[in-house]
Amino acid sequence: MIYQGKAITVEQLASGIARLCFDLPQSPVNVFNRLMLDDLRDAISAVAASEARGLLCCSAKQTFLVGADIKEFTEYFKQSEAELLDWCERTNAVFNAVEDLSIPSVTAINGMALGGGLEMCLATDFRVAAESAVLGFPEVNLGICPGFGGTVRAPRLMDADTAIDWVRSGKPVKAHQALTDGAVDSVVSDDMLEDAALEMLEQAISGELDVADRRAQKTGELPLTAGEIKKVFTEGLARTRKDAGDNYPAAATAVEAMWKAADKNRALALMHEHQAFVTLARGTVAGNLVQLFLNEQFLKGRAKKQAASAQPVRQAAVMGAGIMGGGIAYQSALRGTPIIMKDIAQEGLDLGLGEADKLLNKQVERGRMQRSKADKVMSAITPALDYSAFDKVDIIVEAVVENPKVKKMVLAEVEQLVPESTVLTSNTSTISISLLAQALARPENFCGMHFFNPVPLMPLVEVIRGEKTGDLAVAQTVAYALSLGKSPIVVNDCPGFLVNRILFPYFGAFCQLLHDGVDFRIIDKVMENFGWPMGPAYLLDVVGIDTASHCMAVMAEGFPDRMTYDFTTAIDHLYEAGSYGQKNGKGFYQYEQSSSGRPVKVFDEAILTTLKPLQRENAGAVSEQAICERMMVALCLEAVRCLEDGIVSSAAEVDMGLLMGLGYPRFRGGALRYIDNMGVAAFCEMADQYADLGPLYQPTPALREMASQNKTFY
């Protein structure tokens, strides 16, 4: 044994080759944490001092190495620039030591080699990948760039153009593409991986493979003229900025560092990478994106615990076909749970089946699915006009019209016809679960299961716990949501639940701005510049102005102090005029069909005349900054209230709900993270500027207490 650490062992094989094996204790995957890096430093020192002929690097896990331990590394990000630069240099000295060994080295890549894991692979002389291996630099997705030499070694091993795309996109790359791109030297079947890597190592030891040439390639300048460098990186940076935009600086910063390093040797090139890494790591965007990553891990862990006591769902049912029912049926069948789609009318079933068929055809047309698979998925959806097949259903999603009387009747009817263990859920977006449960004999088996439209695209499912909902019903619903590939968040019952409760004050602020004479197109532009995928007027058209008007009435009844308005809102005004948004082609904008059948937004001057009577007299000008602040104060304060009221139990659930359910801008991290970044006291000061607009804009006493104690949500 050459070295025995806690996470790494190095044994000397009979051939004289040193076999370094990554195996992080008490972890399903290998990651670079402090323990792994310390072990690697000591292991390489031991190899350098040994009489080994060559070094083979491999993993004892099902995957090679998936990058850095984000939880641990966020602590480093809080350090000063000088401290973080020093840490980068010390850490990279370990990878340089791998590269500078006096013996040849080869990595055998199984499973995933991502981020720091891929950078470890690039530090060795050669790489053999299993056919199932996946490689990539996902760092930009966390707002940072490779920091263990990836931006230096990748463009010197691959061509610079390809390396730019690997680094800037953050996308995983399969083994055969990695071979084409020059990131690996060979791809073999999974069962031959280590034998093939040892064979390549013997070729390097014998001189059949030129180790010195490979090292000169990796540690020298790029083999390009100054003109060629300028052309490659100018074009690469243009692609990067076009795709990433101004709000995600990591990709452009990484490419700029690669450009600065292109005509430098390894030592100088690494200095540019370190500076780029430190600049990004200490930035707000990286902080937000890393926190979102941690939030995602938290949600996954919580959902797994919540679903632990659930029984397998072998048969599901959805009541109410149409677009929503068809989307739910499609998602269930696609993910392997057969589903009955029940409606009272054949027209409804035809619409639901048509929706599922349309979604499957898209998958086939785009080459993502074979026709035989699509046919199999479609056959797992059973249309029904009666309850005859409901005797074996494990879970039911009620998705009928958004009317409490109709929902109560349908739920009470089906409850009598299914096994006592069947869990009933409602896909209501606003109606109280406790209210609907009043119609049921087994309210403990009932909860909300609120999908967001379009079902296949939106990751969030709100699982709503009513006053009498039992733990098993929640567990079963969470488990079913997970089986659909969704991210469930369990929320307590209240008007609008979590996401819609926070959304409607945002729409209320929008209506107040219109009442104050602001052009809705300017509001849309301001909020899109903030980072939202669409402005509030466009969003209302997509949601449906009829739906929004109904929801506003529910919210006003639930929260009359701050969600009742003393003027006619534009939402109600357009609804009464029969303008429902995209669904009937007219709302704030007009909608025309494109050649592909998609609705295209166009502006019609007539809408300004329609909205003119809603504007109050003598309204002063409102700046773009004030527009943004008023919109965000209303939304953020309701997010705060949801946490204070115990609708959910953590800031992570609030922010992830907004991200997955509304498309809140990722780079801003969520509403509560937005407050944290500003500072709670500063946020309260901003809100106080608009306090005269009503309770919607007034910080809660608990938030003011947080401000006085300098507390944060995270």
Side-chain angles (χ1 to χ4, degrees), residues 420-670:
E420 288 192 7
S421 60
T422 300
V423 171
L424 295 179
T425 74
S426 175
N427 181 46
T428 178
S429 56
T430 56
I431 301 168
S432 165
I433 295 303
S434 299
L435 174 72
L436 294 177
Q438 291 171 3
L440 299 175
R442 299 187 292 275
E444 69 278 5
N445 281 4
F446 175 63
C447 66
M449 190 177 191
H450 179 210
F451 290 86
F452 289 76
N453 211 5
V455 173
L457 295 181
M458 300 298 279
L460 179 65
V461 169
E462 288 180 318
V463 176
I464 303 106
R465 185 191 286 273
E467 289 172 9
K468 296 184 178 178
T469 302
D471 290 342
L472 280 175
V474 170
Q476 195 82 340
T477 308
V478 168
Y480 181 51
L482 289 172
S483 76
L484 299 181
K486 299 301 181 186
S487 298
I489 294 179
V490 178
V491 307
N492 285 318
D493 195 16
C494 74
F497 315 131
L498 176 67
V499 173
N500 280 335
R501 176 171 162 180
I502 296 172
L503 173 63
F504 275 85
Y506 178 80
F507 284 154
F510 168 71
C511 289
Q512 283 197 331
L513 284 164
L514 294 188
H515 183 56
D516 287 343
V518 182
D519 187 320
F520 67 84
R521 291 171 296 172
I522 295 174
I523 305 172
D524 272 7
K525 186 190 81 167
V526 167
M527 299 322 294
E528 285 162 11
N529 288 343
F530 181 84
W532 288 95
M534 58 183 76
Y538 189 17
L539 178 58
L540 279 161
D541 281 354
V542 171
V543 167
I545 287 166
D546 53 338
T547 302
S549 179
H550 163 76
C551 289
M552 283 191 85
V554 172
M555 302 307 287
E557 186 179 350
F559 308 103
D561 63 322
R562 61 183 182 278
M563 297 197 208
T564 302
Y565 305 98
D566 60 1
F567 56 89
T568 300
T569 68
I571 293 170
D572 287 342
H573 184 70
L574 289 179
Y575 170 60
E576 287 161 11
S579 298
Y580 300 157
Q582 276 189 357
K583 64 181 67 174
N584 72 344
K586 54 183 181 178
F588 287 97
Y589 300 95
Q590 302 285 307
Y591 294 89
E592 299 171 353
Q593 293 289 320
S594 69
S595 56
S596 63
R598 293 171 65 92
V600 177
K601 178 182 73 170
V602 292
F603 175 70
D604 184 346
E605 289 278 350
I607 187 67
L608 299 179
T609 305
T610 303
L611 297 176
K612 184 72 175 170
L614 303 178
Q615 296 172 5
R616 67 183 179 87
E617 294 181 13
N618 304 318
V622 182
S623 70
E624 291 193 359
Q625 180 180 333
I627 290 169
C628 185
E629 289 177 354
R630 285 170 61 169
M631 294 293 292
M632 292 311 300
V633 164
L635 181 142
C636 290
L637 283 177
E638 202 60 38
V640 169
R641 292 185 189 99
C642 281
L643 188 60
E644 289 179 4
D645 292 350
I647 303 307
V648 289
S649 59
S650 67
E653 289 162 306
V654 172
D655 283 346
M656 291 304 294
L658 293 176
L659 183 84
M660 296 186 294
L662 286 186
Y664 190 99
R666 276 191 77 86
F667 71 95
R668 294 195 183 272

